[in-house]
Amino acid sequence: MKPLFLSRHQCQSRMKILGIVVLSIFGWCPPGWCQTEQAGTTGKSAESPEFQYTVHFASESGLDVLVPEKWGVLRASLMNGRSEPRDLLCSTYFDQDPSLQYGRQVWIPAHSKLRIDHPILIPKCDPVKGRSLDLHSLVIDRSSSNEVLVRGEGEGLLSDGALMVTHHSQNTAIIGKPSGSADARPDEIADLVKACRAELRLGNNVTWLGEAFLPPDEIGLDALDHIVVADDRIVNDLAATAALRRWLNSGGHLWIMLDRVDPVLLSMLLGDDFAGYVVDRVGLTSVRVDEAPVLSGLKGMIGESVAYDDPVDLVRMAVPDVHVTHLVNGWPAAMTIACGDGKLLITTLGARGWMKAWPKGAARPIDPLMVSDFTPSKPMANVSDNFFRLRKPELLHSGAIEPQTREYIGYSVLSWSLIVGTLLGFSASIVAIGIWLLRCGRLERICWFASIPALAASLFLIQAGRINRQGITATMASVQLIEAIRGTDDLRCEGVLSTYQPDGSEFPIEATQGGRMMPDMTGMEQTSRRMVTTDLDAFHWENLRQTAGVRSTSFKQSQAAVDRLQAHATFDSHGLTGRYSGLVPPGTDAIVAARNGRMGATLKSDGTFDVRGDDVFEKDQYLSAGLLSDEQDRRRRTLKELLDNPERPDYPGRPQLMFWSEPRDNGFRFGEDLKNLGASLIVVPLVIQRPANGTEILIPSPFLNYVSRLSPDGTQPSAMWDADKKQWQERSTPGLAWLGFQIPHELLPLAPGQASIDLKVSGPIGRVEILGLKNGNVVSLKSIMNPVGSLSIVITDSEALTIDDKGHLALGLSAGNPDSPDLPQGTPDGVPPQASSSTDLNAKVNYWRIESLALQLSAKTTEPTAKD
């Protein structure tokens, strides 16, 4: 691997020039700062090798991926040869902004060596100018009141070099030992990953994370989009495992090759949410990878058998309630799990079973970055196409919630009594002046004399308003989204902080609980400032004055809760009942949100909550309250940004309990005695518990998500429902859709009682017919001619409510079949307009659409059978 830190100490004359540059850069320091180190207490000069340091990017760990405007890790090696300890600050800056520095403050014992690292934000750079970024590092002795520059290995005050960045996204790293290592295994893993990336035109470059200790927090993994785990080392590194888990839930894509990794890693990453277990491990000399069925009622595609002289490992594993994409001999070979905003891919088949050698004599790509000795098999091509993708967009864009945050900062208007009293006094003075002028016989001068109390009243109100405005105390307001990670103690927190300083402040901005936060530095581009890391989760800013006024910044943070946030619920005949517990006390305006809708919840102070089946919200409703206060209106707007984000139609993937609470202390400090305002939206995954057998339950529509399925005769359904966008399509021709309503797996098995369908249509749809399956045959359950607007359909024939082995309740919807011959129609599906007569082409085309469809099911839990 090529070193990324390139030395430029070439001659003594250049070092003199660099010394001058250093002094000019640090001219902002207070008197006595940044002096050159002279002879110390031992009488030796600064050129003595008693102290040495080297600064380099953390390339020795393999983490050599740097992306502009993302965080990276800078690493320094320090050696103190003196007989006394030293307080040192290692600081670095880029040429793009020499006034912005990132440093790490450390204490080094006598006669010792220390390796440190700290976060650094890679600056924005123009791709046209190349990939190299010049940076400079220096070490400052803080043992005394004055800061003294320390000479490094090259006997210079400044250690300068360059970092190589990548302007490409979708960066991939492998946790394992590269082939150059003494105990490394053959590069099957690298061959497979490179083959997949080359097939997708992403390039064959990958990064090896081969060091003994991996980054201890997710900031060190910020530049990576995909990580492949092919080594057991991380199992014994608890800090790195926690960092990997938080990186995964914040949007990363993680691939665990279970044939090489201890399955205990799945429990460490997923916590209590993982219920799978390994049955055994076998070697296969013949491998056939089959696709698992995508649609209910459809058989997956059968793969091609491949023979191997050297057996390929297969870990046979039982994984309930996991999306399996491919099978080998009926056992899961590839499966995916949604983890927060991220995606987890698990493969149980060895790497050789997923690829084949590049065909002999076949033409190779011209671009060397697209060359690979192997090609992925067709099943792996499908798996990798879904895995090697960009991260999902953030849930809450900072620009969308910043206005709500700033609304918390303001001043109160003058009291009505003061205003009314002033106006009454003004009126009384006018009357008194008028009476006096009348007695003096000079009433015509009232206009001149009346201006005096008018001016006095105006000046009084203006001064009172100014005093009232200046009386606003320093304030910190925040709107936070706090998500509990299911099955673990982790919390993800993101949001916007707005601070108001009436007269500015010299208080050093600091973080005491970690996280990523870059203060608003508008107007301070020419002022030198420094971010100093003092511990794993602690940093502060030096020489960064907070100017008067309101400033906002976004932040992200991951923490472990002392008291896990969790919510358990079960179904009854009215809806849901459950209990919440955790570090954050129960709040207000609680709702339950799922992929298919949201409902109002009554959350009590003891943590118990009730959700009634008839309290399902309309499309544009986010709170149960009818008349909203200012605070509730802010909450409504935040929920709208979260739940109606067009870039995140997948959220929430699982039912969540949401409620509002007081702003949580996230450890960011902007001053002493700041007034803390704002609100926190707490999001807790619902853990559904099955009620006792024989219990009558009501499953509300938000818990019955539906997907497309094949028609009973095996034909593909019409393109009425777009499952990816979760939208019904506008049509002008008849259509037939078969849907599978997913019953929560925790409730199976159960016996359906009756179903209620809420349907909303628009346009001349003609006839709507609901179809069901009864003893394997299609039956008509309800037919409505020319429906308009909203309608409710009740299905009482329980035998026609068929639930398959995957928990899908099958129902068909036929629409757009008018019996009236005078109703104009478009051309049927698959028939081009040219095939119609000229009369038909001149006819008006009528469009219709299913606006929404929701199903509510009454059922009874039953005794599991041997098959279940």
Side-chain angles (χ1 to χ4, degrees):
M1 182 174 297
K2 296 181 179 180
L4 296 179
F5 196 93
L6 308 175
S7 176
R8 295 187 178 182
H9 297 285
Q10 299 177 352
C11 60
Q12 186 67 25
S13 60
R14 182 167 181 137
M15 292 308 305
K16 293 180 180 179
I17 296 175
L18 289 177
I20 297 174
V21 173
V22 171
L23 296 178
S24 63
I25 290 175
F26 288 92
W28 59 270
C29 296
W33 278 31
C34 300
Q35 302 174 12
T36 304
E37 182 182 51
Q38 302 298 326
T41 56
T42 59
K44 295 187 178 181
S45 65
E47 286 74 12
S48 172
E50 287 184 343
F51 178 79
Q52 294 180 358
Y53 78 90
T54 56
V55 181
H56 55 273
F57 186 68
S59 57
E60 63 191 51
S61 68
L63 190 54
D64 56 358
V65 178
L66 283 176
V67 178
E69 300 184 273
K70 287 193 175 183
W71 290 90
V73 175
L74 199 71
R75 181 159 294 165
S77 298
L78 308 174
M79 181 184 73
N80 182 15
R82 293 187 174 184
S83 57
E84 67 273 358
R86 305 186 76 174
D87 289 314
L88 299 175
L89 171 66
C90 181
S91 187
T92 302
Y93 63 91
F94 291 92
D95 280 351
Q96 281 76 3
D97 189 358
S99 63
L100 181 59
Q101 301 181 23
Y102 302 89
R104 175 67 188 265
Q105 183 171 325
V106 295
W107 178 82
I108 306 182
H111 304 293
S112 61
K113 295 181 180 180
L114 179 66
R115 189 181 68 177
I116 60 172
D117 56 54
H118 63 85
I120 185 169
L121 183 63
I122 308 303
K124 183 179 180 180
C125 57
D126 188 356
V128 178
K129 296 182 179 179
R131 298 177 52 201
S132 178
L133 289 181
D134 292 335
L135 79 166
H136 312 276
S137 297
L138 50 98
V139 172
I140 302 171
D141 189 347
R142 287 190 163 183
S143 301
S144 61
S145 58
N146 297 330
E147 290 191 347
V148 180
L149 292 177
V150 180
R151 298 187 185 277
E153 282 183 324
E155 298 184 355
L157 299 175
L158 198 65
S159 176
D160 59 330
L163 296 178
M164 301 297 290
V165 300
T166 175
H167 298 286
H168 302 287
S169 56
Q170 296 169 280
N171 299 300
T172 304
I174 302 175
I175 297 179
K177 296 181 176 63
S179 56
S181 304
D183 55 346
R185 300 169 69 177
D187 268 352
E188 297 176 359
I189 305 302
D191 289 337
L192 176 59
V193 175
K194 291 179 180 180
C196 293
R197 288 183 55 88
E199 180 76 12
L200 297 171
R201 310 299 296 174
L202 299 178
N204 55 18
N205 52 321
V206 297
T207 298
W208 283 97
L209 302 181
E211 198 180 37
F213 293 97
L214 298 171
D217 56 52
E218 66 272 25
I219 292 180
L221 305 173
D222 190 47
L224 297 174
D225 298 280
H226 327 109
I227 296 180
V228 181
V229 182
D231 195 285
D232 275 338
R233 291 176 302 116
I234 196 170
V235 174
N236 300 318
D237 191 345
L238 298 181
T241 303
L244 191 64
R245 180 174 61 245
R246 293 171 178 176
W247 171 86
L248 168 64
N249 284 278
S250 63
H253 291 192
L254 182 64
W255 181 353
I256 296 181
M257 296 184 171
L258 212 60
D259 60 303
R260 294 190 174 219
V261 179
D262 193 328
V264 72
L265 179 61
L266 294 176
S267 299
M268 297 175 67
L269 292 174
L270 302 177
D272 302 338
D273 199 29
F274 183 70
Y277 58 93
V278 173
V279 177
D280 60 7
R281 181 187 296 263
V282 296
L284 303 178
T285 55
S286 177
V287 176
R288 191 190 75 193
V289 182
D290 303 329
E291 289 187 3
V294 178
L295 299 178
S296 182
L298 176 69
K299 291 184 178 180
M301 185 177 296
I302 304 301
E304 177 184 357
S305 295
V306 180
Y308 295 90
D309 295 333
D310 187 12
V312 179
D313 288 341
L314 173 68
V315 178
R316 298 198 291 190
M317 190 173 191
V319 281
D321 196 18
V322 170
H323 177 56
V324 178
T325 61
H326 291 82
L327 304 167
V328 171
N329 298 338
W331 292 92
M335 61 206 87
T336 59
I337 301 176
C339 301
D341 285 348
K343 180 181 299 182
L344 176 62
L345 169 65
I346 305 172
T347 56
T348 60
L349 181 67
R352 287 184 295 118
W354 295 107
M355 60 182 176
K356 52 187 177 182
W358 187 272
K360 293 183 179 180
R364 295 289 186 107
I366 299 178
D367 189 349
L369 293 178
M370 302 301 167
V371 174
S372 174
D373 295 332
F374 295 84
T375 61
S377 62
K378 186 176 180 179
M380 175 49 63
N382 295 333
V383 171
S384 61
D385 180 55
N386 190 37
F387 178 77
F388 290 102
R389 293 189 178 184
L390 289 171
R391 293 191 183 192
K392 295 177 181 177
E394 57 187 0
L395 288 173
L396 276 178
H397 191 269
S398 57
I401 59 175
E402 183 178 343
Q404 287 91 292
T405 307
R406 286 177 173 259
E407 288 178 12
Y408 285 102
I409 301 176
Y411 56 91
S412 59
V413 298
L414 296 176
S415 64
W416 69 271
S417 58
L418 179 62
I419 297 176
V420 171
T422 303
L423 294 178
L424 289 177
F426 166 71
S427 302
S429 63
I430 294 295
V431 172
I433 292 174
I435 295 174
W436 175 68
L437 290 175
L438 180 62
R439 291 180 177 180
C440 295
R442 297 290 188 268
L443 187 59
E444 69 277 3
R445 299 182 181 180
I446 189 172
C447 295
W448 297 97
F449 284 95
S451 60
I452 297 176
L455 181 61
S458 300
L459 292 176
F460 174 77
L461 291 176
I462 291 174
Q463 184 64 19
R466 181 178 301 173
I467 294 174
N468 191 58
R469 182 181 182 88
Q470 292 177 349
I472 308 172
T473 59
T475 305
M476 181 174 70
S478 64
V479 173
Q480 308 176 27
L481 172 64
I482 300 176
E483 291 185 280
I485 303 303
R486 179 170 171 147
T488 71
D489 298 330
D490 285 349
L491 297 177
R492 289 179 52 212
C493 182
E494 59 181 292
V496 173
L497 284 168
S498 293
T499 59
Y500 172 72
Q501 301 282 3
D503 303 312
S505 174
E506 299 290 344
F507 187 90
I509 300 174
E510 60 182 5
T512 60
Q513 300 177 20
R516 286 172 284 178
M517 180 269 295
M518 182 65 70
D520 182 4
M521 302 182 188
T522 305
M524 292 178 281
E525 290 79 8
Q526 304 303 319
T527 302
S528 295
R529 58 262 189 230
R530 181 191 294 155
M531 174 182 170
V532 179
T533 301
T534 55
D535 207 339
L536 180 61
D537 291 326
F539 64 86
H540 65 271
W541 285 88
E542 296 179 353
N543 202 48
L544 180 62
R545 187 181 189 279
Q546 302 181 60
T547 57
V550 180
R551 290 184 177 268
S552 300
T553 180
S554 60
F555 68 93
K556 292 185 178 180
Q557 191 178 54
S558 296
Q559 292 182 345
V562 178
D563 187 5
R564 178 184 300 183
L565 274 62
Q566 53 188 349
H568 296 81
T570 188
F571 289 83
D572 58 18
S573 59
H574 300 290
L576 277 83
T577 61
R579 175 177 290 275
Y580 159 79
S581 62
L583 177 67
V584 181
T588 57
D589 289 329
I591 66 171
V592 168
R595 177 84 60 90
N596 209 40
R598 45 195 173 271
M599 309 171 63
T602 303
L603 180 60
K604 302 177 182 178
S605 58
D606 61 353
T608 59
F609 61 89
D610 298 301
V611 183
R612 294 190 58 85
D614 56 1
D615 195 10
V616 178
F617 289 172
E618 296 292 333
K619 180 180 179 181
D620 297 325
Q621 185 180 359
Y622 303 92
L623 295 174
S624 296
L627 184 61
L628 303 181
S629 63
D630 290 342
E631 174 64 21
Q632 289 177 318
D633 183 62
R634 284 190 286 266
R635 296 176 177 182
R636 178 194 63 81
R637 284 181 283 158
T638 302
L639 285 170
K640 178 177 175 60
E641 294 292 340
L642 175 66
L643 299 176
D644 284 351
N645 188 345
E647 297 181 351
R648 293 298 306 272
D650 60 309
Y651 183 83
R654 294 181 177 181
Q656 312 274 348
L657 172 67
M658 300 181 176
F659 63 87
W660 290 88
S661 181
E662 296 296 321
R664 185 171 181 268
D665 182 10
N666 44 38
F668 298 122
R669 302 286 181 262
F670 289 82
E672 301 284 352
D673 302 325
L674 265 68
K675 188 177 181 181
N676 195 12
L677 300 175
S680 297
L681 176 60
I682 312 300
V683 180
V684 186
L686 270 184
V687 178
I688 299 177
Q689 298 174 332
R690 190 174 190 270
N693 295 330
T695 303
E696 297 282 349
I697 62 173
L698 175 66
I699 308 177
S701 58
F703 290 87
L704 292 171
N705 187 39
Y706 49 87
V707 296
S708 298
R709 57 167 292 151
L710 288 180
S711 301
D713 58 2
T715 60
Q716 291 284 348
S718 301
M720 294 173 58
W721 168 249
D722 189 332
D724 294 332
K725 297 181 179 179
K726 302 295 180 183
Q727 292 179 354
W728 289 92
Q729 302 300 302
E730 188 177 56
R731 295 177 61 87
S732 62
T733 58
L736 172 64
W738 278 89
L739 305 174
F741 293 83
Q742 179 64 63
I743 309 295
H745 291 286
E746 297 87 349
L747 301 180
L748 297 174
L750 51 77
Q754 72 174 29
S756 176
I757 299 177
D758 292 326
L759 192 65
K760 183 180 291 187
V761 301
S762 63
I765 196 171
R767 183 181 68 195
V768 173
E769 186 176 13
I770 304 298
L771 307 174
L773 291 177
K774 193 171 184 178
N775 299 323
N777 300 317
V778 178
V779 295
S780 177
L781 301 177
K782 188 74 174 181
S783 181
I784 302 175
M785 285 297 302
N786 300 320
V788 178
S790 301
L791 58 152
S792 182
I793 303 172
V794 179
I795 301 173
T796 57
D797 188 355
S798 59
E799 295 182 0
L801 301 175
T802 303
I803 301 177
D804 62 16
D805 55 353
K806 289 190 175 182
H808 286 167
L809 171 63
L811 288 176
L813 174 65
S814 176
N817 295 318
D819 289 338
S820 302
D822 58 340
L823 184 62
Q825 304 179 53
T827 58
D829 287 346
V831 179
Q834 294 84 344
S836 301
S837 64
S838 59
T839 303
D840 292 337
L841 290 175
N842 294 329
K844 179 182 178 181
V845 179
N846 291 275
Y847 291 93
W848 54 268
R849 170 186 259 172
I850 303 291
E851 296 293 338
S852 64
L853 184 149
L855 173 73
Q856 184 172 270
L857 180 66
S858 297
K860 178 187 291 187
T861 56
T862 60
E863 192 77 32
T865 62
K867 181 179 178 180
D868 298 327

